[in-house]
Amino acid sequence: MEPDGDYNPDTDDLPLRANTNHILVRHYVLDLTVCLDKKIISGSIVLFLEPCSAEGTKTEENVRHEAGKSARQEPKKDGTVFESHIQDPCLFQAANAEEFTLVLDCCDLDVSKVEEVDTDSVSAPLGFPSKVASEEISVGSQADFIQHLFSMPSSQWRERHQLFLLCSRSPGTQNGGLVNFQTDRWSLQVRKSGVTSAQGFPRIIRIYYETRPLGGSVRWTKDQDNRECVYTAGSPINNRALFPCQEPPVAMSTWQARVRAPSDCVVLMSGEEQAVPAKDGDTDFLLWNYYVTMPMPASTFTLAVGHWCEVPELSLTDYSGVVDDSISCSHGDYPCRFTERSAWSQRVVPHRVFSPVCLLQKAQMGVLKLLPRCLAAAHAILGVHPFPRLDVLIVPAGFSSLGMASPHIIFLSQSVLCKECPSSQLNKLSLTGSRICHEIAHSWFGLVIGARDWTEEWISEGFATFLEDIIWAQAQQLPLPQTAEQFDLQALLRWRRLYDELQNSKEELQILRPNMERTGQVSDTGSSLVKHALNPDKSFMQVHYLKGYFLLRFLASEVGDLQLIDFFRLFVKKYHGQLVLSQLTADQLVMLLELLLEESELSVSSMRALQKTYSLQKQDAEVRHRWCELVIKHAYSQAYCDVEHFLLQDQAMGVYLYGELMLQEDPEQQALARRCLALVQEEMDQSARRVVEEMIL
């Protein structure tokens, strides 16, 4: 997808270059070493690939065109196009123009080698044929083996991850396995000589690389004890400066990682089980292993390495609960907690809190004290916790937000901690509690249910902002009058913040859905742009938090708080493990317009906003028919052209509208009906013509 002419991709829009319509990464295996002194993460990543359907590979020329165009349009500041760590730039440029190109999202990485992985040592014992002289047979046998891994049932996830791990440690293919590659500012482009389709591309490739100290995905800094540490920054570019990946949200995958770090450090990561470090031979490093079995966007991968300490546990309250009703999942096959009856009764998942030594007491009395209360409250509101465990880390002072939620781990700013050790009164922990509740809410809205278009941040942040009040009130066990008072006060404070922001920011940054009718659209290859993602002003705005919150608060006022929460629970049950858009489907638009037809009055401004928001004149005939009915009923003359177009081009459905135009007894509308009949009467079906003539004459 190309940027609009009004936007500069260098300052406003973030390119997502990965050609996800052609080939998808289904699993990542990372093997990384963290060097705090050099401020570098080095190692390898193995990608397990699956080509999309044949229909998805018909536009490979578009991939090559986009890759070349991105290189031409985005030169480096020194005037060069490609970075220096190219395996063989001359060979890449001279490659057959028909060769397939794998495009990965990548920046600020030094890639040293890309190779095809030989899986014979793993696949042969399972009965798959070894490589033979025929390249076609060898590719086919490897494809069958990898497809076998992808299709293993979720009950065998441990066996599947073990096979992924064994494959990732296999050597390169006999011919050296080297694959041609090059990088530009935002992507890594990979080809194999002679391969002209995604189906013929290697199913497993290994990429050797290093991060850069100033890469945008990781933050090298010192903690509050003045000790070196590093953590993923959650920046607009997400993880592409941590590892080459497919960043578009639709490219959901699983992963496993082995991280080497100094033995006096703690490694925290998105992972389903608490890692137990092991010695790395005779070195001064420890090995930490993490994995996930739920397919998720690569942007949700999180890593933190530092000299943090676990906050000592307090005495725990029993938060066991009752089993909820059975769940029927509509996502792909993976080990899902929503189908585990034991998970429904687990009101509080296992949790830990980490902080620098100097903040241990505050973290204990503030965060660790509140965490089980907040987890239990969230369970009471939304049901089963999507993730089996939770770590909370008090990040360094330079962290640019109050909090950030990722699978299995939450980053919290030291700003949410009380200045002094708090008393037992929960109201003195209001900021801490509400922020914890906000980040916990993201487990449901933002992580287990994500937005398919990154510009729709309100789907995550608006819901979490609305739910933080409800979960925090539940955690405090407030009586209803006090709950309502607290909700109203928070609404007033947020309204003041929103009003101030609207007065002091550019209008284009205030739009909840900046891509408008193009929300969710991608190019033929699967690439897209995240509008305003690189605009520095955007990161300091809360419009998507606050407007989303007020939309949900309005809905609650219409249907009732309890009814809206019941809807949330049903929504989570239906859509967990999936990505959503806020766009209405055609049937939903029809229902909306039919309900609006029951209204006695609609203002001109409302009609104009309706037309602009949903581009009603571009919808299917069922939607446009209802829109024409609204136009006629409310005499919205600015859209009479839509009615005329419908009567001329959709004669099979337009007969009813002639009667509506005449019944209004509006001379302009009646003239419109007669004019349209005169234009089409010669070609109109005779039966329909007689019916219309009876209405008009």
Side-chain angles (χ1 to χ4, degrees):
M1 177 180 292
E2 292 304 308
D4 295 335
D6 295 336
Y7 293 94
N8 183 344
D10 290 327
T11 59
D12 296 311
D13 298 338
L14 174 69
L16 303 180
R17 294 294 191 214
N19 52 332
T20 55
N21 281 358
H22 297 162
I23 193 166
L24 286 171
V25 180
R26 294 285 302 278
H27 188 75
Y28 296 93
V29 179
L30 297 96
D31 192 348
L32 304 175
T33 299
V34 178
C35 296
L36 291 173
D37 54 343
K38 296 181 180 179
K39 295 182 171 56
I40 287 176
I41 299 175
S42 62
S44 66
I45 183 169
V46 177
L47 280 59
F48 291 79
L49 299 160
E50 182 177 39
C52 300
S53 64
E55 290 76 11
T57 60
K58 288 180 179 178
T59 55
E60 285 157 13
E61 179 59 36
N62 292 339
V63 184
R64 295 188 292 274
H65 176 67
E66 281 210 7
K69 180 166 53 182
S70 67
R72 291 192 299 272
Q73 290 180 344
E74 299 186 48
K76 295 181 68 180
K77 292 182 179 179
D78 61 4
T80 61
V81 171
F82 296 113
E83 298 180 359
S84 60
H85 49 276
I86 301 173
Q87 176 183 316
D88 190 340
C90 296
L91 178 61
F92 196 94
Q93 295 294 347
N96 189 323
E98 296 302 315
E99 289 178 351
F100 173 77
T101 303
L102 167 68
V103 183
L104 299 172
D105 295 303
C106 170
C107 72
D108 298 333
L109 295 178
D110 292 317
V111 178
S112 58
K113 184 170 73 172
V114 181
E115 65 180 3
E116 180 182 0
V117 176
D118 185 350
T119 60
D120 277 359
S121 62
V122 181
S123 60
L126 295 177
F128 291 88
S130 301
K131 290 197 175 200
V132 295
S134 169
E135 181 68 17
E136 181 178 348
I137 294 177
S138 67
V139 170
S141 63
Q142 187 189 66
D144 290 342
F145 170 62
I146 298 306
Q147 196 57 45
H148 166 71
L149 292 185
F150 294 154
S151 61
M152 291 177 71
S154 59
S155 60
Q156 298 178 14
W157 68 265
R158 290 189 183 275
E159 294 91 334
R160 178 170 53 189
H161 272 210
Q162 182 62 24
L163 290 173
F164 280 139
L165 183 61
L166 292 173
C167 289
S168 72
R169 295 176 179 175
S170 298
T173 53
Q174 288 184 356
N175 61 0
L178 296 181
V179 181
N180 301 318
F181 72 92
Q182 69 180 9
T183 61
D184 61 24
R185 181 184 176 190
W186 291 115
S187 71
L188 167 65
Q189 300 157 31
V190 182
R191 296 180 189 169
K192 183 180 179 184
S193 297
V195 174
T196 60
S197 70
Q199 280 74 18
F201 196 78
R203 294 298 195 270
I204 311 178
I205 63 170
R206 181 187 292 112
I207 302 169
Y208 295 91
Y209 72 97
E210 288 186 350
T211 65
R212 298 179 186 173
L214 297 180
S217 296
V218 292
R219 179 75 188 277
W220 301 90
T221 184
K222 292 186 177 182
D223 64 19
Q224 292 86 341
D225 292 326
N226 200 35
R227 305 195 71 179
E228 300 287 345
C229 63
V230 61
Y231 61 90
T232 49
S235 64
I237 65 169
N238 288 302
N239 280 322
R240 65 178 68 189
L242 178 62
F243 58 92
C245 58
Q246 292 181 328
E247 283 278 29
V250 294
M252 296 201 292
S253 60
T254 52
W255 62 74
Q256 56 199 104
R258 179 171 67 175
V259 180
R260 294 175 183 83
S263 57
D264 56 346
C265 286
V266 172
V267 176
L268 303 176
M269 187 184 293
S270 306
E272 293 172 15
E273 288 185 356
Q274 179 179 322
V276 178
K279 286 285 293 181
D280 183 23
D282 295 329
T283 70
D284 292 329
F285 282 69
L286 291 178
L287 295 173
W288 302 72
N289 291 282
Y290 286 92
Y291 66 85
V292 297
T293 60
M294 177 192 297
M296 302 195 73
S299 60
T300 63
F301 183 97
T302 306
L303 173 67
V305 181
H307 300 85
W308 297 298
C309 296
E310 183 176 355
V311 177
E313 288 189 8
L314 300 164
S315 58
L316 298 179
T317 305
D318 180 14
Y319 285 101
S320 59
V322 295
V323 175
D324 202 293
D325 54 353
S326 59
I327 299 298
S328 178
C329 298
S330 55
H331 55 69
D333 184 34
Y334 67 81
C336 177
R337 284 176 55 80
F338 285 83
T339 61
E340 296 178 12
R341 298 187 68 84
S342 60
W344 279 97
S345 63
Q346 191 178 27
R347 295 176 62 198
V348 178
V349 295
H351 53 276
R352 302 180 299 174
V353 177
F354 291 84
S355 84
V357 173
C358 67
L359 295 177
L360 279 177
Q361 188 174 12
K362 291 181 180 178
Q364 182 188 55
M365 297 306 297
V367 179
L368 190 58
K369 177 180 180 178
L370 292 180
L371 197 51
R373 284 176 174 267
C374 296
L375 288 168
H379 179 277
I381 301 298
L382 296 170
V384 65
H385 290 282
F387 303 107
R389 68 176 196 92
L390 177 64
D391 285 338
V392 177
L393 172 64
I394 308 301
V395 285
F399 186 62
S400 60
S401 173
L402 289 180
M404 185 179 78
S406 300
H408 318 101
I409 186 169
I410 289 173
F411 290 171
L412 281 184
S413 167
Q414 66 177 25
S415 298
V416 307
L417 302 177
C418 290
K419 282 289 185 181
E420 304 296 335
C421 290
S423 67
S424 60
Q425 296 177 357
L426 289 180
N427 60 3
K428 293 189 177 181
L429 293 169
S430 178
L431 177 59
T432 310
S434 61
R435 178 48 53 173
I436 291 173
C437 291
H438 181 101
E439 304 305 337
I440 288 174
H442 276 313
S443 292
W444 288 266
F445 292 95
L447 294 176
V448 77
I449 298 176
R452 188 148 53 92
D453 186 322
W454 274 348
T455 66
E456 293 210 283
E457 297 160 282
W458 79 271
I459 293 178
S460 171
E461 299 298 353
F463 277 76
T465 303
F466 178 78
L467 284 166
E468 76 175 65
D469 293 352
I470 297 172
I471 297 173
W472 179 227
Q474 173 78 18
Q476 298 174 87
Q477 299 182 337
L478 296 179
L480 287 178
Q482 193 174 344
T483 295
E485 182 180 333
Q486 185 168 290
F487 286 1
D488 289 344
L489 180 56
Q490 285 295 330
L492 178 59
L493 290 171
R494 290 180 179 127
W495 172 252
R496 291 173 65 88
R497 287 200 297 271
L498 178 60
Y499 181 81
D500 181 67
E501 193 160 294
L502 296 180
Q503 302 303 309
N504 296 283
S505 60
K506 295 179 181 178
E507 185 175 354
E508 63 264 24
L509 296 179
Q510 301 173 10
I511 302 172
L512 280 187
R513 302 172 68 243
N515 282 334
M516 304 299 283
E517 71 275 4
R518 297 174 65 186
T519 295
Q521 291 186 11
V522 298
S523 73
D524 289 337
T525 70
S527 66
S528 61
L529 290 175
V530 184
K531 189 163 287 188
H532 307 308
L534 298 180
N535 189 322
D537 294 337
K538 179 70 163 54
S539 60
F540 296 101
M541 297 188 64
Q542 291 189 312
V543 162
H544 46 289
Y545 290 76
L546 300 176
K547 280 190 173 181
Y549 159 80
F550 279 111
L551 171 60
L552 295 172
R553 182 172 169 84
F554 166 75
L555 292 176
S557 70
E558 292 291 307
V559 303
D561 290 340
L562 295 179
Q563 288 77 4
L564 188 60
I565 293 300
D566 286 343
F567 167 76
F568 285 171
R569 291 174 69 100
L570 291 173
F571 185 80
V572 168
K573 290 177 183 179
K574 180 176 178 62
Y575 291 103
H576 68 272
Q578 301 179 65
L579 302 170
V580 297
L581 291 173
S582 67
Q583 288 174 312
L584 296 182
T585 65
D587 288 342
Q588 289 171 328
L589 273 175
V590 168
M591 176 59 70
L592 172 64
L593 296 176
E594 288 197 354
L595 291 174
L596 290 175
L597 280 167
E598 297 175 4
E599 298 293 322
S600 58
E601 290 185 14
L602 283 179
S603 67
V604 171
S605 61
S606 295
M607 294 289 288
R608 187 184 300 117
L610 196 65
Q611 181 181 23
K612 180 180 178 182
T613 300
Y614 298 110
S615 300
L616 293 172
Q617 68 277 14
K618 299 179 182 179
Q619 301 292 337
D620 67 25
E622 288 282 1
V623 174
R624 287 185 286 111
H625 189 282
R626 271 66 169 194
W627 168 238
C628 290
E629 291 182 67
L630 268 180
V631 169
I632 295 168
K633 178 175 181 177
H634 298 290
Y636 182 52
S637 59
Q638 298 176 34
Y640 281 175
C641 57
D642 293 343
V643 178
E644 181 172 353
H645 183 273
F646 193 93
L647 292 176
L648 299 181
Q649 302 299 324
D650 297 279
Q651 296 181 32
M653 300 178 66
V655 172
Y656 174 77
L657 293 180
Y658 283 100
E660 290 297 300
L661 286 167
M662 300 306 295
L663 285 174
Q664 297 299 315
E665 298 185 354
D666 181 310
E668 187 176 359
Q669 291 190 7
Q670 293 179 345
L672 172 61
R674 295 189 178 98
R675 183 170 67 253
C676 290
L677 177 61
L679 290 172
V680 300
Q681 61 184 351
E682 296 301 325
E683 60 187 69
M684 183 179 282
D685 174 81
Q686 293 301 309
S687 297
R689 177 179 172 179
R690 283 196 298 271
V691 172
V692 172
E693 286 177 341
E694 290 177 3
M695 294 176 182
I696 292 180
L697 306 176

PDB file of all heavy atoms in Angstrom, residues 18-36:
ATOM      1  N   ALA A  18       6.644  -6.559   5.050  1.00  0.00           N
ATOM      2  CA  ALA A  18       6.568  -8.017   4.901  1.00  0.00           C
ATOM      3  C   ALA A  18       5.463  -8.419   3.923  1.00  0.00           C
ATOM      4  O   ALA A  18       4.343  -7.919   3.994  1.00  0.00           O
ATOM      5  CB  ALA A  18       6.330  -8.659   6.265  1.00  0.00           C
ATOM      6  N   ASN A  19       5.795  -9.347   3.018  1.00  0.00           N
ATOM      7  CA  ASN A  19       4.819  -9.798   2.021  1.00  0.00           C
ATOM      8  C   ASN A  19       4.007 -10.974   2.557  1.00  0.00           C
ATOM      9  O   ASN A  19       4.126 -12.119   2.132  1.00  0.00           O
ATOM     10  CB  ASN A  19       5.504 -10.142   0.692  1.00  0.00           C
ATOM     11  CG  ASN A  19       6.669 -11.105   0.831  1.00  0.00           C
ATOM     12  OD1 ASN A  19       7.322 -11.164   1.866  1.00  0.00           O
ATOM     13  ND2 ASN A  19       6.942 -11.852  -0.222  1.00  0.00           N
ATOM     14  N   THR A  20       3.164 -10.660   3.519  1.00  0.00           N
ATOM     15  CA  THR A  20       2.415 -11.686   4.257  1.00  0.00           C
ATOM     16  C   THR A  20       1.310 -12.331   3.432  1.00  0.00           C
ATOM     17  O   THR A  20       0.770 -13.359   3.844  1.00  0.00           O
ATOM     18  CB  THR A  20       1.801 -11.081   5.533  1.00  0.00           C
ATOM     19  OG1 THR A  20       1.004  -9.944   5.180  1.00  0.00           O
ATOM     20  CG2 THR A  20       2.896 -10.638   6.492  1.00  0.00           C
ATOM     21  N   ASN A  21       0.947 -11.739   2.294  1.00  0.00           N
ATOM     22  CA  ASN A  21      -0.039 -12.386   1.434  1.00  0.00           C
ATOM     23  C   ASN A  21       0.562 -13.539   0.641  1.00  0.00           C
ATOM     24  O   ASN A  21      -0.173 -14.317   0.030  1.00  0.00           O
ATOM     25  CB  ASN A  21      -0.654 -11.376   0.459  1.00  0.00           C
ATOM     26  CG  ASN A  21      -1.716 -10.530   1.118  1.00  0.00           C
ATOM     27  OD1 ASN A  21      -2.028 -10.708   2.286  1.00  0.00           O
ATOM     28  ND2 ASN A  21      -2.277  -9.593   0.376  1.00  0.00           N
ATOM     29  N   HIS A  22       1.901 -13.617   0.626  1.00  0.00           N
ATOM     30  CA  HIS A  22       2.576 -14.648  -0.158  1.00  0.00           C
ATOM     31  C   HIS A  22       3.133 -15.772   0.695  1.00  0.00           C
ATOM     32  O   HIS A  22       3.077 -16.940   0.317  1.00  0.00           O
ATOM     33  CB  HIS A  22       3.718 -14.020  -0.965  1.00  0.00           C
ATOM     34  CG  HIS A  22       3.248 -13.024  -1.966  1.00  0.00           C
ATOM     35  ND1 HIS A  22       4.077 -12.083  -2.535  1.00  0.00           N
ATOM     36  CD2 HIS A  22       2.025 -12.797  -2.500  1.00  0.00           C
ATOM     37  CE1 HIS A  22       3.387 -11.336  -3.377  1.00  0.00           C
ATOM     38  NE2 HIS A  22       2.143 -11.750  -3.364  1.00  0.00           N
ATOM     39  N   ILE A  23       3.694 -15.430   1.838  1.00  0.00           N
ATOM     40  CA  ILE A  23       4.346 -16.434   2.679  1.00  0.00           C
ATOM     41  C   ILE A  23       4.291 -15.952   4.127  1.00  0.00           C
ATOM     42  O   ILE A  23       4.372 -14.749   4.386  1.00  0.00           O
ATOM     43  CB  ILE A  23       5.800 -16.668   2.211  1.00  0.00           C
ATOM     44  CG1 ILE A  23       6.405 -17.917   2.840  1.00  0.00           C
ATOM     45  CG2 ILE A  23       6.659 -15.433   2.444  1.00  0.00           C
ATOM     46  CD1 ILE A  23       7.691 -18.374   2.158  1.00  0.00           C
ATOM     47  N   LEU A  24       4.105 -16.874   5.064  1.00  0.00           N
ATOM     48  CA  LEU A  24       3.952 -16.515   6.468  1.00  0.00           C
ATOM     49  C   LEU A  24       4.979 -17.239   7.329  1.00  0.00           C
ATOM     50  O   LEU A  24       5.288 -18.409   7.093  1.00  0.00           O
ATOM     51  CB  LEU A  24       2.554 -16.872   6.971  1.00  0.00           C
ATOM     52  CG  LEU A  24       1.394 -15.983   6.517  1.00  0.00           C
ATOM     53  CD1 LEU A  24       0.068 -16.608   6.926  1.00  0.00           C
ATOM     54  CD2 LEU A  24       1.518 -14.580   7.100  1.00  0.00           C
ATOM     55  N   VAL A  25       5.485 -16.540   8.342  1.00  0.00           N
ATOM     56  CA  VAL A  25       6.288 -17.183   9.375  1.00  0.00           C
ATOM     57  C   VAL A  25       5.322 -17.778  10.392  1.00  0.00           C
ATOM     58  O   VAL A  25       4.530 -17.069  10.997  1.00  0.00           O
ATOM     59  CB  VAL A  25       7.228 -16.178  10.071  1.00  0.00           C
ATOM     60  CG1 VAL A  25       8.039 -16.895  11.150  1.00  0.00           C
ATOM     61  CG2 VAL A  25       8.154 -15.508   9.070  1.00  0.00           C
ATOM     62  N   ARG A  26       5.429 -19.097  10.577  1.00  0.00           N
ATOM     63  CA  ARG A  26       4.530 -19.754  11.523  1.00  0.00           C
ATOM     64  C   ARG A  26       5.174 -19.951  12.889  1.00  0.00           C
ATOM     65  O   ARG A  26       4.479 -20.104  13.893  1.00  0.00           O
ATOM     66  CB  ARG A  26       4.110 -21.110  10.949  1.00  0.00           C
ATOM     67  CG  ARG A  26       3.254 -21.019   9.691  1.00  0.00           C
ATOM     68  CD  ARG A  26       1.839 -20.596  10.003  1.00  0.00           C
ATOM     69  NE  ARG A  26       1.222 -21.519  10.939  1.00  0.00           N
ATOM     70  CZ  ARG A  26       0.660 -22.679  10.598  1.00  0.00           C
ATOM     71  NH1 ARG A  26       0.604 -23.041   9.339  1.00  0.00           N
ATOM     72  NH2 ARG A  26       0.124 -23.467  11.514  1.00  0.00           N
ATOM     73  N   HIS A  27       6.531 -19.955  12.924  1.00  0.00           N
ATOM     74  CA  HIS A  27       7.215 -20.180  14.192  1.00  0.00           C
ATOM     75  C   HIS A  27       8.612 -19.575  14.113  1.00  0.00           C
ATOM     76  O   HIS A  27       9.258 -19.611  13.066  1.00  0.00           O
ATOM     77  CB  HIS A  27       7.313 -21.687  14.476  1.00  0.00           C
ATOM     78  CG  HIS A  27       7.822 -22.015  15.847  1.00  0.00           C
ATOM     79  ND1 HIS A  27       7.063 -21.891  16.983  1.00  0.00           N
ATOM     80  CD2 HIS A  27       9.047 -22.448  16.280  1.00  0.00           C
ATOM     81  CE1 HIS A  27       7.773 -22.256  18.048  1.00  0.00           C
ATOM     82  NE2 HIS A  27       8.992 -22.587  17.642  1.00  0.00           N
ATOM     83  N   TYR A  28       9.044 -18.978  15.239  1.00  0.00           N
ATOM     84  CA  TYR A  28      10.394 -18.437  15.352  1.00  0.00           C
ATOM     85  C   TYR A  28      11.141 -19.210  16.440  1.00  0.00           C
ATOM     86  O   TYR A  28      10.561 -19.539  17.483  1.00  0.00           O
ATOM     87  CB  TYR A  28      10.380 -16.966  15.781  1.00  0.00           C
ATOM     88  CG  TYR A  28       9.740 -15.987  14.829  1.00  0.00           C
ATOM     89  CD1 TYR A  28       8.393 -15.640  14.957  1.00  0.00           C
ATOM     90  CD2 TYR A  28      10.476 -15.372  13.825  1.00  0.00           C
ATOM     91  CE1 TYR A  28       7.811 -14.713  14.111  1.00  0.00           C
ATOM     92  CE2 TYR A  28       9.896 -14.438  12.972  1.00  0.00           C
ATOM     93  CZ  TYR A  28       8.565 -14.122  13.117  1.00  0.00           C
ATOM     94  OH  TYR A  28       7.993 -13.201  12.279  1.00  0.00           O
ATOM     95  N   VAL A  29      12.421 -19.479  16.193  1.00  0.00           N
ATOM     96  CA  VAL A  29      13.304 -19.987  17.238  1.00  0.00           C
ATOM     97  C   VAL A  29      14.485 -19.033  17.338  1.00  0.00           C
ATOM     98  O   VAL A  29      15.258 -18.882  16.382  1.00  0.00           O
ATOM     99  CB  VAL A  29      13.805 -21.414  16.944  1.00  0.00           C
ATOM    100  CG1 VAL A  29      14.746 -21.871  18.054  1.00  0.00           C
ATOM    101  CG2 VAL A  29      12.635 -22.380  16.819  1.00  0.00           C
ATOM    102  N   LEU A  30      14.610 -18.364  18.482  1.00  0.00           N
ATOM    103  CA  LEU A  30      15.686 -17.396  18.684  1.00  0.00           C
ATOM    104  C   LEU A  30      16.756 -17.993  19.580  1.00  0.00           C
ATOM    105  O   LEU A  30      16.450 -18.689  20.553  1.00  0.00           O
ATOM    106  CB  LEU A  30      15.154 -16.103  19.318  1.00  0.00           C
ATOM    107  CG  LEU A  30      14.141 -15.291  18.499  1.00  0.00           C
ATOM    108  CD1 LEU A  30      12.725 -15.639  18.938  1.00  0.00           C
ATOM    109  CD2 LEU A  30      14.383 -13.802  18.651  1.00  0.00           C
ATOM    110  N   ASP A  31      18.010 -17.703  19.248  1.00  0.00           N
ATOM    111  CA  ASP A  31      19.157 -18.113  20.062  1.00  0.00           C
ATOM    112  C   ASP A  31      20.042 -16.876  20.203  1.00  0.00           C
ATOM    113  O   ASP A  31      20.798 -16.535  19.293  1.00  0.00           O
ATOM    114  CB  ASP A  31      19.911 -19.258  19.388  1.00  0.00           C
ATOM    115  CG  ASP A  31      20.923 -19.912  20.323  1.00  0.00           C
ATOM    116  OD1 ASP A  31      21.201 -19.333  21.390  1.00  0.00           O
ATOM    117  OD2 ASP A  31      21.446 -20.981  19.988  1.00  0.00           O
ATOM    118  N   LEU A  32      19.934 -16.192  21.333  1.00  0.00           N
ATOM    119  CA  LEU A  32      20.518 -14.868  21.472  1.00  0.00           C
ATOM    120  C   LEU A  32      21.456 -14.775  22.670  1.00  0.00           C
ATOM    121  O   LEU A  32      21.266 -15.463  23.678  1.00  0.00           O
ATOM    122  CB  LEU A  32      19.407 -13.814  21.632  1.00  0.00           C
ATOM    123  CG  LEU A  32      18.347 -13.764  20.516  1.00  0.00           C
ATOM    124  CD1 LEU A  32      17.263 -12.755  20.873  1.00  0.00           C
ATOM    125  CD2 LEU A  32      18.991 -13.420  19.179  1.00  0.00           C
ATOM    126  N   THR A  33      22.452 -13.910  22.538  1.00  0.00           N
ATOM    127  CA  THR A  33      23.364 -13.597  23.630  1.00  0.00           C
ATOM    128  C   THR A  33      23.298 -12.102  23.906  1.00  0.00           C
ATOM    129  O   THR A  33      23.423 -11.289  22.982  1.00  0.00           O
ATOM    130  CB  THR A  33      24.811 -13.994  23.276  1.00  0.00           C
ATOM    131  OG1 THR A  33      24.863 -15.404  23.049  1.00  0.00           O
ATOM    132  CG2 THR A  33      25.765 -13.623  24.401  1.00  0.00           C
ATOM    133  N   VAL A  34      23.096 -11.746  25.166  1.00  0.00           N
ATOM    134  CA  VAL A  34      22.985 -10.340  25.571  1.00  0.00           C
ATOM    135  C   VAL A  34      24.324  -9.893  26.160  1.00  0.00           C
ATOM    136  O   VAL A  34      24.785 -10.455  27.163  1.00  0.00           O
ATOM    137  CB  VAL A  34      21.862 -10.148  26.602  1.00  0.00           C
ATOM    138  CG1 VAL A  34      21.788  -8.690  27.053  1.00  0.00           C
ATOM    139  CG2 VAL A  34      20.527 -10.601  26.019  1.00  0.00           C
ATOM    140  N   CYS A  35      24.945  -8.903  25.529  1.00  0.00           N
ATOM    141  CA  CYS A  35      26.206  -8.330  26.018  1.00  0.00           C
ATOM    142  C   CYS A  35      25.932  -6.930  26.535  1.00  0.00           C
ATOM    143  O   CYS A  35      25.837  -5.972  25.746  1.00  0.00           O
ATOM    144  CB  CYS A  35      27.250  -8.298  24.902  1.00  0.00           C
ATOM    145  SG  CYS A  35      27.725  -9.923  24.306  1.00  0.00           S
ATOM    146  N   LEU A  36      25.774  -6.802  27.841  1.00  0.00           N
ATOM    147  CA  LEU A  36      25.445  -5.504  28.417  1.00  0.00           C
ATOM    148  C   LEU A  36      26.570  -4.500  28.240  1.00  0.00           C
ATOM    149  O   LEU A  36      26.313  -3.298  28.047  1.00  0.00           O
ATOM    150  CB  LEU A  36      25.120  -5.666  29.904  1.00  0.00           C
ATOM    151  CG  LEU A  36      23.807  -6.407  30.226  1.00  0.00           C
ATOM    152  CD1 LEU A  36      23.701  -6.636  31.721  1.00  0.00           C
ATOM    153  CD2 LEU A  36      22.609  -5.634  29.719  1.00  0.00           C
TER     154      LEU A  36
END
